[in-house]
Amino acid sequence: MGGAGDDGPFVGTIQLAPGLREAMTRHALAERPLEACGLLAGSGARAEAFYPTRNAAKSPVRYEIDPQDLLRVTMELEDAGREVWGIFHSHPATPATPSQTDIRLAFYPSAYYLICSLADPVRPVLRAFRIVDGRIAEVEVAGD
Ligand code: ZN
């Protein structure tokens, strides 16, 4: 099947603050074989902080950010005058493209959706997407 993000040009580039890629990968590996998830704070096209959250679905094929974690992080961000910039999750055994469920449950049109694939655990792949009204567009990921 694949998604629109498999092809086509990038619609932009996001920049990860130093250490973020590693933090997300570490969280993904720690939660394996379950999907891992988390939230990102940032501004503009730059991701500045990663907040690992629990996957309330405790599933290897889908995620649901733990409602308490979501509330806690959202309030923390609001206190700091920030909003949820991005939503991270892992695909423990499949490519880093949004699943149909990911697309259906993408409720934040202004957020970046980051997916880390551990299909090859030695070489995790991180990709980023915008998901708006069921349509996905890939965003290039820069920085480590
Ligand atoms: Zn997914």
PDB file of all heavy atoms in Angstrom, residues 10-49:
ATOM      1  N   PHE A  10      10.172  16.391  -0.506  1.00  0.00           N
ATOM      2  CA  PHE A  10       9.957  16.852   0.854  1.00  0.00           C
ATOM      3  C   PHE A  10       9.226  18.190   0.815  1.00  0.00           C
ATOM      4  O   PHE A  10       9.436  18.999  -0.086  1.00  0.00           O
ATOM      5  CB  PHE A  10      11.293  17.049   1.570  1.00  0.00           C
ATOM      6  CG  PHE A  10      12.049  15.775   1.797  1.00  0.00           C
ATOM      7  CD1 PHE A  10      13.267  15.557   1.184  1.00  0.00           C
ATOM      8  CD2 PHE A  10      11.543  14.795   2.647  1.00  0.00           C
ATOM      9  CE1 PHE A  10      13.982  14.379   1.409  1.00  0.00           C
ATOM     10  CE2 PHE A  10      12.249  13.621   2.879  1.00  0.00           C
ATOM     11  CZ  PHE A  10      13.469  13.407   2.256  1.00  0.00           C
ATOM     12  N   VAL A  11       8.369  18.416   1.810  1.00  0.00           N
ATOM     13  CA  VAL A  11       7.662  19.697   1.827  1.00  0.00           C
ATOM     14  C   VAL A  11       8.341  20.690   2.762  1.00  0.00           C
ATOM     15  O   VAL A  11       7.810  21.753   3.039  1.00  0.00           O
ATOM     16  CB  VAL A  11       6.193  19.528   2.250  1.00  0.00           C
ATOM     17  CG1 VAL A  11       5.433  18.743   1.191  1.00  0.00           C
ATOM     18  CG2 VAL A  11       6.075  18.869   3.611  1.00  0.00           C
ATOM     19  N   GLY A  12       9.520  20.334   3.243  1.00  0.00           N
ATOM     20  CA  GLY A  12      10.251  21.242   4.120  1.00  0.00           C
ATOM     21  C   GLY A  12      11.298  20.453   4.877  1.00  0.00           C
ATOM     22  O   GLY A  12      11.486  19.268   4.623  1.00  0.00           O
ATOM     23  N   THR A  13      11.977  21.123   5.770  1.00  0.00           N
ATOM     24  CA  THR A  13      13.017  20.483   6.575  1.00  0.00           C
ATOM     25  C   THR A  13      12.827  20.883   8.024  1.00  0.00           C
ATOM     26  O   THR A  13      12.558  22.055   8.316  1.00  0.00           O
ATOM     27  CB  THR A  13      14.420  20.939   6.116  1.00  0.00           C
ATOM     28  OG1 THR A  13      14.573  20.626   4.727  1.00  0.00           O
ATOM     29  CG2 THR A  13      15.507  20.234   6.912  1.00  0.00           C
ATOM     30  N   ILE A  14      12.944  19.911   8.916  1.00  0.00           N
ATOM     31  CA  ILE A  14      12.964  20.244  10.331  1.00  0.00           C
ATOM     32  C   ILE A  14      14.361  20.003  10.868  1.00  0.00           C
ATOM     33  O   ILE A  14      15.102  19.150  10.366  1.00  0.00           O
ATOM     34  CB  ILE A  14      11.934  19.434  11.153  1.00  0.00           C
ATOM     35  CG1 ILE A  14      12.133  17.937  10.975  1.00  0.00           C
ATOM     36  CG2 ILE A  14      10.513  19.861  10.803  1.00  0.00           C
ATOM     37  CD1 ILE A  14      11.320  17.094  11.946  1.00  0.00           C
ATOM     38  N   GLN A  15      14.699  20.758  11.871  1.00  0.00           N
ATOM     39  CA  GLN A  15      16.031  20.671  12.476  1.00  0.00           C
ATOM     40  C   GLN A  15      15.880  20.135  13.892  1.00  0.00           C
ATOM     41  O   GLN A  15      15.113  20.690  14.689  1.00  0.00           O
ATOM     42  CB  GLN A  15      16.655  22.076  12.514  1.00  0.00           C
ATOM     43  CG  GLN A  15      18.057  22.122  13.081  1.00  0.00           C
ATOM     44  CD  GLN A  15      19.099  21.592  12.108  1.00  0.00           C
ATOM     45  OE1 GLN A  15      18.999  21.793  10.906  1.00  0.00           O
ATOM     46  NE2 GLN A  15      20.095  20.893  12.633  1.00  0.00           N
ATOM     47  N   LEU A  16      16.606  19.066  14.203  1.00  0.00           N
ATOM     48  CA  LEU A  16      16.566  18.518  15.558  1.00  0.00           C
ATOM     49  C   LEU A  16      17.682  19.122  16.392  1.00  0.00           C
ATOM     50  O   LEU A  16      18.829  19.198  15.938  1.00  0.00           O
ATOM     51  CB  LEU A  16      16.747  16.999  15.529  1.00  0.00           C
ATOM     52  CG  LEU A  16      15.777  16.177  14.693  1.00  0.00           C
ATOM     53  CD1 LEU A  16      16.129  14.691  14.797  1.00  0.00           C
ATOM     54  CD2 LEU A  16      14.336  16.409  15.146  1.00  0.00           C
ATOM     55  N   ALA A  17      17.356  19.532  17.602  1.00  0.00           N
ATOM     56  CA  ALA A  17      18.393  19.999  18.525  1.00  0.00           C
ATOM     57  C   ALA A  17      19.316  18.820  18.830  1.00  0.00           C
ATOM     58  O   ALA A  17      18.906  17.658  18.762  1.00  0.00           O
ATOM     59  CB  ALA A  17      17.762  20.528  19.802  1.00  0.00           C
ATOM     60  N   PRO A  18      20.578  19.110  19.182  1.00  0.00           N
ATOM     61  CA  PRO A  18      21.545  18.042  19.458  1.00  0.00           C
ATOM     62  C   PRO A  18      21.019  17.065  20.510  1.00  0.00           C
ATOM     63  O   PRO A  18      20.474  17.477  21.529  1.00  0.00           O
ATOM     64  CB  PRO A  18      22.767  18.805  19.980  1.00  0.00           C
ATOM     65  CG  PRO A  18      22.659  20.157  19.362  1.00  0.00           C
ATOM     66  CD  PRO A  18      21.181  20.440  19.277  1.00  0.00           C
ATOM     67  N   GLY A  19      21.171  15.783  20.230  1.00  0.00           N
ATOM     68  CA  GLY A  19      20.784  14.758  21.196  1.00  0.00           C
ATOM     69  C   GLY A  19      19.374  14.246  21.044  1.00  0.00           C
ATOM     70  O   GLY A  19      19.021  13.210  21.609  1.00  0.00           O
ATOM     71  N   LEU A  20      18.532  14.970  20.313  1.00  0.00           N
ATOM     72  CA  LEU A  20      17.126  14.562  20.222  1.00  0.00           C
ATOM     73  C   LEU A  20      16.949  13.254  19.474  1.00  0.00           C
ATOM     74  O   LEU A  20      16.169  12.397  19.872  1.00  0.00           O
ATOM     75  CB  LEU A  20      16.288  15.645  19.547  1.00  0.00           C
ATOM     76  CG  LEU A  20      15.871  16.836  20.394  1.00  0.00           C
ATOM     77  CD1 LEU A  20      14.750  17.591  19.720  1.00  0.00           C
ATOM     78  CD2 LEU A  20      15.461  16.406  21.781  1.00  0.00           C
ATOM     79  N   ARG A  21      17.680  13.116  18.382  1.00  0.00           N
ATOM     80  CA  ARG A  21      17.553  11.879  17.604  1.00  0.00           C
ATOM     81  C   ARG A  21      17.922  10.678  18.479  1.00  0.00           C
ATOM     82  O   ARG A  21      17.230   9.668  18.508  1.00  0.00           O
ATOM     83  CB  ARG A  21      18.449  11.942  16.360  1.00  0.00           C
ATOM     84  CG  ARG A  21      18.299  10.760  15.436  1.00  0.00           C
ATOM     85  CD  ARG A  21      19.349  10.785  14.344  1.00  0.00           C
ATOM     86  NE  ARG A  21      19.158  11.863  13.398  1.00  0.00           N
ATOM     87  CZ  ARG A  21      18.482  11.752  12.249  1.00  0.00           C
ATOM     88  NH1 ARG A  21      17.943  10.602  11.919  1.00  0.00           N
ATOM     89  NH2 ARG A  21      18.362  12.774  11.433  1.00  0.00           N
ATOM     90  N   GLU A  22      18.990  10.841  19.215  1.00  0.00           N
ATOM     91  CA  GLU A  22      19.453   9.749  20.074  1.00  0.00           C
ATOM     92  C   GLU A  22      18.431   9.472  21.185  1.00  0.00           C
ATOM     93  O   GLU A  22      18.161   8.315  21.518  1.00  0.00           O
ATOM     94  CB  GLU A  22      20.812  10.101  20.676  1.00  0.00           C
ATOM     95  CG  GLU A  22      21.475   8.918  21.337  1.00  0.00           C
ATOM     96  CD  GLU A  22      22.605   9.328  22.284  1.00  0.00           C
ATOM     97  OE1 GLU A  22      23.188  10.408  22.073  1.00  0.00           O
ATOM     98  OE2 GLU A  22      22.867   8.569  23.226  1.00  0.00           O
ATOM     99  N   ALA A  23      17.859  10.527  21.749  1.00  0.00           N
ATOM    100  CA  ALA A  23      16.884  10.348  22.833  1.00  0.00           C
ATOM    101  C   ALA A  23      15.660   9.589  22.339  1.00  0.00           C
ATOM    102  O   ALA A  23      15.132   8.699  23.019  1.00  0.00           O
ATOM    103  CB  ALA A  23      16.482  11.709  23.394  1.00  0.00           C
ATOM    104  N   MET A  24      15.196   9.924  21.138  1.00  0.00           N
ATOM    105  CA  MET A  24      14.025   9.248  20.585  1.00  0.00           C
ATOM    106  C   MET A  24      14.341   7.789  20.265  1.00  0.00           C
ATOM    107  O   MET A  24      13.551   6.889  20.537  1.00  0.00           O
ATOM    108  CB  MET A  24      13.533   9.985  19.334  1.00  0.00           C
ATOM    109  CG  MET A  24      12.880  11.323  19.664  1.00  0.00           C
ATOM    110  SD  MET A  24      12.161  12.133  18.206  1.00  0.00           S
ATOM    111  CE  MET A  24      13.605  12.941  17.545  1.00  0.00           C
ATOM    112  N   THR A  25      15.537   7.572  19.677  1.00  0.00           N
ATOM    113  CA  THR A  25      15.935   6.210  19.328  1.00  0.00           C
ATOM    114  C   THR A  25      16.072   5.352  20.580  1.00  0.00           C
ATOM    115  O   THR A  25      15.625   4.209  20.628  1.00  0.00           O
ATOM    116  CB  THR A  25      17.275   6.223  18.568  1.00  0.00           C
ATOM    117  OG1 THR A  25      17.127   7.042  17.408  1.00  0.00           O
ATOM    118  CG2 THR A  25      17.677   4.828  18.143  1.00  0.00           C
ATOM    119  N   ARG A  26      16.659   5.936  21.630  1.00  0.00           N
ATOM    120  CA  ARG A  26      16.853   5.196  22.869  1.00  0.00           C
ATOM    121  C   ARG A  26      15.503   4.785  23.465  1.00  0.00           C
ATOM    122  O   ARG A  26      15.313   3.664  23.928  1.00  0.00           O
ATOM    123  CB  ARG A  26      17.648   6.055  23.857  1.00  0.00           C
ATOM    124  CG  ARG A  26      18.417   5.235  24.867  1.00  0.00           C
ATOM    125  CD  ARG A  26      19.158   6.093  25.885  1.00  0.00           C
ATOM    126  NE  ARG A  26      19.857   7.222  25.325  1.00  0.00           N
ATOM    127  CZ  ARG A  26      19.664   8.492  25.706  1.00  0.00           C
ATOM    128  NH1 ARG A  26      18.751   8.783  26.609  1.00  0.00           N
ATOM    129  NH2 ARG A  26      20.364   9.456  25.161  1.00  0.00           N
ATOM    130  N   HIS A  27      14.559   5.725  23.451  1.00  0.00           N
ATOM    131  CA  HIS A  27      13.219   5.432  23.981  1.00  0.00           C
ATOM    132  C   HIS A  27      12.556   4.328  23.154  1.00  0.00           C
ATOM    133  O   HIS A  27      11.955   3.404  23.706  1.00  0.00           O
ATOM    134  CB  HIS A  27      12.384   6.716  23.962  1.00  0.00           C
ATOM    135  CG  HIS A  27      10.999   6.571  24.499  1.00  0.00           C
ATOM    136  ND1 HIS A  27      10.725   5.995  25.727  1.00  0.00           N
ATOM    137  CD2 HIS A  27       9.791   6.922  23.990  1.00  0.00           C
ATOM    138  CE1 HIS A  27       9.405   6.007  25.937  1.00  0.00           C
ATOM    139  NE2 HIS A  27       8.827   6.561  24.899  1.00  0.00           N
ATOM    140  N   ALA A  28      12.698   4.407  21.842  1.00  0.00           N
ATOM    141  CA  ALA A  28      12.089   3.407  20.960  1.00  0.00           C
ATOM    142  C   ALA A  28      12.667   2.020  21.246  1.00  0.00           C
ATOM    143  O   ALA A  28      11.937   1.030  21.334  1.00  0.00           O
ATOM    144  CB  ALA A  28      12.310   3.786  19.497  1.00  0.00           C
ATOM    145  N   LEU A  29      13.993   1.954  21.405  1.00  0.00           N
ATOM    146  CA  LEU A  29      14.640   0.667  21.660  1.00  0.00           C
ATOM    147  C   LEU A  29      14.245   0.122  23.027  1.00  0.00           C
ATOM    148  O   LEU A  29      14.041  -1.080  23.199  1.00  0.00           O
ATOM    149  CB  LEU A  29      16.167   0.823  21.567  1.00  0.00           C
ATOM    150  CG  LEU A  29      16.719   1.000  20.151  1.00  0.00           C
ATOM    151  CD1 LEU A  29      18.177   1.451  20.201  1.00  0.00           C
ATOM    152  CD2 LEU A  29      16.579  -0.287  19.344  1.00  0.00           C
ATOM    153  N   ALA A  30      14.088   1.013  24.005  1.00  0.00           N
ATOM    154  CA  ALA A  30      13.747   0.570  25.360  1.00  0.00           C
ATOM    155  C   ALA A  30      12.345  -0.025  25.418  1.00  0.00           C
ATOM    156  O   ALA A  30      12.086  -0.931  26.204  1.00  0.00           O
ATOM    157  CB  ALA A  30      13.858   1.748  26.331  1.00  0.00           C
ATOM    158  N   GLU A  31      11.448   0.484  24.600  1.00  0.00           N
ATOM    159  CA  GLU A  31      10.059   0.020  24.634  1.00  0.00           C
ATOM    160  C   GLU A  31       9.809  -1.192  23.739  1.00  0.00           C
ATOM    161  O   GLU A  31       8.765  -1.834  23.831  1.00  0.00           O
ATOM    162  CB  GLU A  31       9.115   1.148  24.192  1.00  0.00           C
ATOM    163  CG  GLU A  31       9.096   2.335  25.135  1.00  0.00           C
ATOM    164  CD  GLU A  31       8.611   1.951  26.527  1.00  0.00           C
ATOM    165  OE1 GLU A  31       7.552   1.302  26.642  1.00  0.00           O
ATOM    166  OE2 GLU A  31       9.309   2.275  27.507  1.00  0.00           O
ATOM    167  N   ARG A  32      10.727  -1.455  22.822  1.00  0.00           N
ATOM    168  CA  ARG A  32      10.585  -2.581  21.936  1.00  0.00           C
ATOM    169  C   ARG A  32      10.296  -3.856  22.721  1.00  0.00           C
ATOM    170  O   ARG A  32      10.952  -4.035  23.749  1.00  0.00           O
ATOM    171  CB  ARG A  32      11.883  -2.730  21.128  1.00  0.00           C
ATOM    172  CG  ARG A  32      11.774  -3.475  19.852  1.00  0.00           C
ATOM    173  CD  ARG A  32      13.039  -3.277  19.025  1.00  0.00           C
ATOM    174  NE  ARG A  32      14.251  -3.460  19.825  1.00  0.00           N
ATOM    175  CZ  ARG A  32      15.265  -4.247  19.470  1.00  0.00           C
ATOM    176  NH1 ARG A  32      15.242  -4.893  18.344  1.00  0.00           N
ATOM    177  NH2 ARG A  32      16.331  -4.352  20.219  1.00  0.00           N
ATOM    178  N   PRO A  33       9.411  -4.762  22.325  1.00  0.00           N
ATOM    179  CA  PRO A  33       8.729  -4.829  21.024  1.00  0.00           C
ATOM    180  C   PRO A  33       7.452  -3.991  20.931  1.00  0.00           C
ATOM    181  O   PRO A  33       6.760  -4.065  19.924  1.00  0.00           O
ATOM    182  CB  PRO A  33       8.392  -6.314  20.889  1.00  0.00           C
ATOM    183  CG  PRO A  33       8.125  -6.745  22.306  1.00  0.00           C
ATOM    184  CD  PRO A  33       9.088  -5.938  23.151  1.00  0.00           C
ATOM    185  N   LEU A  34       7.149  -3.207  21.969  1.00  0.00           N
ATOM    186  CA  LEU A  34       5.964  -2.354  21.883  1.00  0.00           C
ATOM    187  C   LEU A  34       6.316  -1.062  21.163  1.00  0.00           C
ATOM    188  O   LEU A  34       7.475  -0.656  21.124  1.00  0.00           O
ATOM    189  CB  LEU A  34       5.441  -2.020  23.285  1.00  0.00           C
ATOM    190  CG  LEU A  34       5.086  -3.217  24.182  1.00  0.00           C
ATOM    191  CD1 LEU A  34       4.552  -2.717  25.530  1.00  0.00           C
ATOM    192  CD2 LEU A  34       4.065  -4.113  23.495  1.00  0.00           C
ATOM    193  N   GLU A  35       5.300  -0.408  20.620  1.00  0.00           N
ATOM    194  CA  GLU A  35       5.534   0.920  20.068  1.00  0.00           C
ATOM    195  C   GLU A  35       5.828   1.872  21.219  1.00  0.00           C
ATOM    196  O   GLU A  35       5.219   1.795  22.276  1.00  0.00           O
ATOM    197  CB  GLU A  35       4.309   1.415  19.275  1.00  0.00           C
ATOM    198  CG  GLU A  35       4.147   0.717  17.940  1.00  0.00           C
ATOM    199  CD  GLU A  35       3.264   1.477  16.958  1.00  0.00           C
ATOM    200  OE1 GLU A  35       2.881   2.631  17.241  1.00  0.00           O
ATOM    201  OE2 GLU A  35       2.957   0.903  15.892  1.00  0.00           O
ATOM    202  N   ALA A  36       6.765   2.758  20.975  1.00  0.00           N
ATOM    203  CA  ALA A  36       7.077   3.811  21.938  1.00  0.00           C
ATOM    204  C   ALA A  36       6.457   5.101  21.424  1.00  0.00           C
ATOM    205  O   ALA A  36       6.197   5.239  20.226  1.00  0.00           O
ATOM    206  CB  ALA A  36       8.585   3.981  22.054  1.00  0.00           C
ATOM    207  N   CYS A  37       6.204   6.048  22.340  1.00  0.00           N
ATOM    208  CA  CYS A  37       5.661   7.320  21.887  1.00  0.00           C
ATOM    209  C   CYS A  37       6.157   8.452  22.780  1.00  0.00           C
ATOM    210  O   CYS A  37       6.698   8.216  23.859  1.00  0.00           O
ATOM    211  CB  CYS A  37       4.133   7.284  21.834  1.00  0.00           C
ATOM    212  SG  CYS A  37       3.335   6.805  23.371  1.00  0.00           S
ATOM    213  N   GLY A  38       5.976   9.666  22.301  1.00  0.00           N
ATOM    214  CA  GLY A  38       6.421  10.824  23.057  1.00  0.00           C
ATOM    215  C   GLY A  38       5.996  12.099  22.364  1.00  0.00           C
ATOM    216  O   GLY A  38       5.407  12.070  21.286  1.00  0.00           O
ATOM    217  N   LEU A  39       6.297  13.196  23.021  1.00  0.00           N
ATOM    218  CA  LEU A  39       5.920  14.508  22.481  1.00  0.00           C
ATOM    219  C   LEU A  39       7.171  15.356  22.318  1.00  0.00           C
ATOM    220  O   LEU A  39       8.163  15.159  23.024  1.00  0.00           O
ATOM    221  CB  LEU A  39       4.944  15.206  23.436  1.00  0.00           C
ATOM    222  CG  LEU A  39       3.603  14.484  23.622  1.00  0.00           C
ATOM    223  CD1 LEU A  39       2.869  15.035  24.838  1.00  0.00           C
ATOM    224  CD2 LEU A  39       2.752  14.640  22.371  1.00  0.00           C
ATOM    225  N   LEU A  40       7.095  16.299  21.387  1.00  0.00           N
ATOM    226  CA  LEU A  40       8.216  17.201  21.162  1.00  0.00           C
ATOM    227  C   LEU A  40       7.764  18.643  21.313  1.00  0.00           C
ATOM    228  O   LEU A  40       6.649  19.002  20.923  1.00  0.00           O
ATOM    229  CB  LEU A  40       8.781  17.002  19.753  1.00  0.00           C
ATOM    230  CG  LEU A  40       9.486  15.663  19.552  1.00  0.00           C
ATOM    231  CD1 LEU A  40       9.019  14.997  18.290  1.00  0.00           C
ATOM    232  CD2 LEU A  40      10.986  15.848  19.531  1.00  0.00           C
ATOM    233  N   ALA A  41       8.653  19.427  21.896  1.00  0.00           N
ATOM    234  CA  ALA A  41       8.442  20.865  21.938  1.00  0.00           C
ATOM    235  C   ALA A  41       9.399  21.496  20.947  1.00  0.00           C
ATOM    236  O   ALA A  41      10.472  20.958  20.677  1.00  0.00           O
ATOM    237  CB  ALA A  41       8.716  21.407  23.339  1.00  0.00           C
ATOM    238  N   GLY A  42       9.006  22.628  20.401  1.00  0.00           N
ATOM    239  CA  GLY A  42       9.884  23.277  19.457  1.00  0.00           C
ATOM    240  C   GLY A  42       9.281  24.591  19.008  1.00  0.00           C
ATOM    241  O   GLY A  42       8.244  25.022  19.520  1.00  0.00           O
ATOM    242  N   SER A  43       9.936  25.202  18.067  1.00  0.00           N
ATOM    243  CA  SER A  43       9.357  26.409  17.488  1.00  0.00           C
ATOM    244  C   SER A  43       9.785  26.492  16.038  1.00  0.00           C
ATOM    245  O   SER A  43      10.895  26.078  15.686  1.00  0.00           O
ATOM    246  CB  SER A  43       9.804  27.648  18.270  1.00  0.00           C
ATOM    247  OG  SER A  43      11.190  27.789  18.178  1.00  0.00           O
ATOM    248  N   GLY A  44       8.894  26.990  15.220  1.00  0.00           N
ATOM    249  CA  GLY A  44       9.179  27.036  13.796  1.00  0.00           C
ATOM    250  C   GLY A  44       9.475  25.643  13.284  1.00  0.00           C
ATOM    251  O   GLY A  44       8.701  24.721  13.512  1.00  0.00           O
ATOM    252  N   ALA A  45      10.598  25.495  12.620  1.00  0.00           N
ATOM    253  CA  ALA A  45      10.951  24.199  12.055  1.00  0.00           C
ATOM    254  C   ALA A  45      11.973  23.483  12.922  1.00  0.00           C
ATOM    255  O   ALA A  45      12.608  22.533  12.487  1.00  0.00           O
ATOM    256  CB  ALA A  45      11.497  24.375  10.638  1.00  0.00           C
ATOM    257  N   ARG A  46      12.129  23.938  14.171  1.00  0.00           N
ATOM    258  CA  ARG A  46      13.164  23.374  15.025  1.00  0.00           C
ATOM    259  C   ARG A  46      12.569  22.646  16.227  1.00  0.00           C
ATOM    260  O   ARG A  46      11.780  23.218  16.987  1.00  0.00           O
ATOM    261  CB  ARG A  46      14.071  24.503  15.514  1.00  0.00           C
ATOM    262  CG  ARG A  46      15.237  24.030  16.345  1.00  0.00           C
ATOM    263  CD  ARG A  46      16.139  25.210  16.721  1.00  0.00           C
ATOM    264  NE  ARG A  46      17.027  24.870  17.817  1.00  0.00           N
ATOM    265  CZ  ARG A  46      18.179  24.226  17.660  1.00  0.00           C
ATOM    266  NH1 ARG A  46      18.577  23.865  16.475  1.00  0.00           N
ATOM    267  NH2 ARG A  46      18.940  23.935  18.711  1.00  0.00           N
ATOM    268  N   ALA A  47      12.969  21.381  16.390  1.00  0.00           N
ATOM    269  CA  ALA A  47      12.575  20.602  17.569  1.00  0.00           C
ATOM    270  C   ALA A  47      13.587  20.855  18.671  1.00  0.00           C
ATOM    271  O   ALA A  47      14.791  20.753  18.443  1.00  0.00           O
ATOM    272  CB  ALA A  47      12.529  19.124  17.234  1.00  0.00           C
ATOM    273  N   GLU A  48      13.098  21.196  19.847  1.00  0.00           N
ATOM    274  CA  GLU A  48      14.016  21.590  20.920  1.00  0.00           C
ATOM    275  C   GLU A  48      14.052  20.644  22.102  1.00  0.00           C
ATOM    276  O   GLU A  48      15.034  20.600  22.833  1.00  0.00           O
ATOM    277  CB  GLU A  48      13.658  23.009  21.386  1.00  0.00           C
ATOM    278  CG  GLU A  48      14.017  24.036  20.324  1.00  0.00           C
ATOM    279  CD  GLU A  48      13.312  25.370  20.497  1.00  0.00           C
ATOM    280  OE1 GLU A  48      12.407  25.465  21.352  1.00  0.00           O
ATOM    281  OE2 GLU A  48      13.665  26.301  19.761  1.00  0.00           O
ATOM    282  N   ALA A  49      12.964  19.919  22.336  1.00  0.00           N
ATOM    283  CA  ALA A  49      12.955  19.027  23.503  1.00  0.00           C
ATOM    284  C   ALA A  49      12.062  17.829  23.232  1.00  0.00           C
ATOM    285  O   ALA A  49      11.062  17.937  22.526  1.00  0.00           O
ATOM    286  CB  ALA A  49      12.470  19.775  24.738  1.00  0.00           C
TER     287      ALA A  49
END
